[in-house]
Amino acid sequence: MALNNFLFAQCTLYFLAFLFSFIAVVPLSENSADFHGKCLLFTEGMWLSGNVSLEREHFTVEEWGPESACRFSLFTGVLALLAAAVQAWRTLFFLCKGHQDSFFYAFLNLLISSFVVFVTFIASTIVSVGFNMWCDAITEKGSRPYSCEELQDRDLELNVENSSFYDQFAIAQFGLWAAWLSWLGITVLAFLKVYHNYRQEDLLDSLIQEKELLIGKSSSRSPLQEEKSCMI
């Protein structure tokens, strides 16, 4: 019963990790298509105007953010998505069959989960920090009359589709951080599984040693008992 509850908890977390990773991957892919491969994360720019009128102002990009930042975030989301799908199917199979991992596979699962947690945390941080820098640039750190969310409804004249960039990255941030929390829970369960298997193997080794000692004592007592019976 305890094993089934443990596998059910793992399966639930894998499903959540799959769901949140999917939520992050979709808007990141859409934004990449809307911006024609350009990355708005860590982008630097400024507002320029030909006259005093606010309507004639336009935003000019001084330097687009590194494409590797967006690609890494998207790759991490896909990686977390695929890993969660495979592990969820595997855990569900074990749950239905009543099987459990060996110590080796439990340790391998811990390594995989730890790696996914690490890269997901990096991707989440990159997206959050990079997007804040973009919002600081287009709002001039809050000095503009429009907020970052409101500016997605205005044509920034960058030859890209910027009508939903704020919604896309708001959803992507939520998906990545939620996926990271799910994978963190998965890693904790994987560690507990390895620890449990380690303790179990130690217990089995101790029982085997005790059995060998008892067999050795019983075998050594048998000749003594025969000698005593002969003397009597």
Side-chain angles (χ1 to χ4, degrees):
M1 186 66 180
L3 175 62
N4 289 340
N5 291 337
F6 185 85
L7 290 175
F8 180 76
Q10 277 189 317
C11 192
T12 301
L13 285 175
Y14 281 129
F15 174 77
L16 291 175
F18 175 84
L19 178 63
F20 292 135
S21 299
F22 180 79
I23 290 174
V25 166
V26 172
L28 287 175
S29 302
E30 289 181 350
N31 183 263
S32 178
D34 291 344
F35 276 65
H36 309 301
K38 297 176 182 177
C39 185
L40 63 76
L41 300 177
F42 304 103
T43 294
E44 297 179 357
M46 59 185 300
W47 286 92
L48 298 176
S49 60
N51 52 39
V52 183
S53 175
L54 182 64
E55 296 300 326
R56 299 294 299 276
E57 287 184 325
H58 64 278
F59 183 76
T60 301
V61 172
E62 296 177 347
E63 182 180 2
W64 284 102
E67 294 182 7
S68 58
C70 290
R71 289 176 179 174
F72 177 78
S73 302
L74 181 59
F75 169 78
T76 301
V78 173
L79 175 66
L81 179 73
L82 295 177
V86 172
Q87 292 289 65
W89 178 85
R90 185 169 174 269
T91 307
L92 185 62
F93 175 79
F94 283 168
L95 182 62
C96 295
K97 296 295 183 179
H99 297 166
Q100 62 176 333
D101 280 335
S102 63
F103 178 79
F104 173 77
Y105 284 107
F107 182 72
L108 182 62
N109 185 34
L110 175 60
L111 292 180
I112 294 173
S113 301
S114 301
F115 174 75
V116 177
V117 164
F118 177 70
V119 295
T120 306
F121 177 78
I122 293 177
S124 302
T125 304
I126 288 174
V127 170
S128 295
V129 176
F131 186 63
N132 284 337
M133 288 185 64
W134 160 260
C135 285
D136 286 343
I138 62 175
T139 61
E140 294 184 344
K141 297 185 177 180
S143 63
R144 304 296 301 178
Y146 301 104
S147 67
C148 189
E149 183 178 4
E150 293 171 340
L151 282 171
Q152 74 176 351
D153 298 325
R154 178 178 177 178
D155 186 9
L156 298 178
E157 300 179 10
L158 298 174
N159 296 322
V160 296
E161 178 58 49
N162 63 270
S163 61
S164 56
F165 72 85
Y166 185 88
D167 294 336
Q168 289 168 343
F169 272 92
I171 295 172
Q173 285 184 83
F174 167 76
L176 284 173
W177 283 113
W180 175 74
L181 288 175
S182 299
W183 276 103
L184 185 63
I186 291 169
T187 305
V188 171
L189 290 181
F191 174 79
L192 294 176
K193 181 66 175 178
V194 170
Y195 180 74
H196 173 73
N197 287 358
Y198 176 76
R199 290 291 300 272
Q200 204 170 33
E201 288 199 0
D202 275 357
L203 179 61
L204 288 175
D205 291 340
S206 299
L207 291 175
I208 291 173
Q209 290 178 1
E210 290 294 331
K211 181 180 178 181
E212 290 177 351
L213 288 174
L214 290 174
I215 293 174
K217 289 181 180 179
S218 62
S219 60
S220 63
R221 287 176 181 175
S222 297
L224 292 175
Q225 290 177 354
E226 290 179 359
E227 290 180 2
K228 289 181 179 179
S229 60
C230 290
M231 290 176 63
I232 294 173

